Amino acid sequence: MMQDWLQLIESMNGGVKALRQGAPDVMKGFSALAQGANGGTALDKKTKELIALAIGVAVRCQPCIAYHAEAAAKHGATREEVLETMGMAIYMGAGPSVMYAAQGLEAFDQLKAAQG
C-alpha cells in the first residue's frame, strides 16, 4: 500500500477545519465556489467527481485524490470508469501523472471497499 487514504482524509479534515476557523471568509468563498461547480444538471455528480479526480491526479494533489475518489465511489463510479478516468489524467498530465494515477486507483479501491 502506498497510502492509507482514509487516514489522509481524517488528517486533512482537521487542517481544513482549522482553515475554516482561521479564515472563515475565504473558506465561505471556497464553499460557494464548490457549490457552484457542483450545481447544474448537464453533468451528473459521478461525472463531476471523476473529472475532479482526474484533475487531482494531473496536478498531483494527494488530498484531492482522496476526497474525490471517495466521492466518486459514493456516487456509484465503477473501477472501470476510474481506470478510464486515470487514462485521461495520464494523457493530460504525462509521465508524472502515471505515478499519481496508481495512487488514484488505489485510493478508489480502498475507499470503495471501506463503504462496504
Side-chain angles (χ1 to χ4, degrees), residues 33-56 64 67-69 71-72 75 77 85:
L33 179 62
Q35 287 177 358
N38 281 294
T41 59
L43 296 174
D44 61 33
K45 291 186 185 303
K46 177 180 75 173
T47 301
K48 289 179 181 185
E49 290 301 335
L50 290 170
I51 291 168
L53 178 58
I55 292 169
C64 300
Y67 285 114
H68 294 292
H75 289 292
T85 299

Side-chain angles (χ1 to χ4, degrees), residues 19-95:
L19 276 173
R20 279 194 197 105
Q21 292 170 344
D25 291 339
V26 172
M27 294 307 288
K28 283 178 190 172
F30 180 76
S31 180
L33 179 62
Q35 287 177 358
N38 281 294
T41 59
L43 296 174
D44 61 33
K45 291 186 185 303
K46 177 180 75 173
T47 301
K48 289 179 181 185
E49 290 301 335
L50 290 170
I51 291 168
L53 178 58
I55 292 169
V57 168
V59 300
R60 298 161 186 87
C61 174
Q62 286 185 320
C64 300
I65 290 169
Y67 285 114
H68 294 292
E70 180 181 49
K74 284 181 182 175
H75 289 292
T78 66
R79 191 170 199 271
E80 291 76 20
E81 290 169 324
V82 171
L83 282 166
E84 285 190 22
T85 299
M86 296 300 91
M88 289 306 295
I90 291 166
Y91 169 62
M92 296 307 296

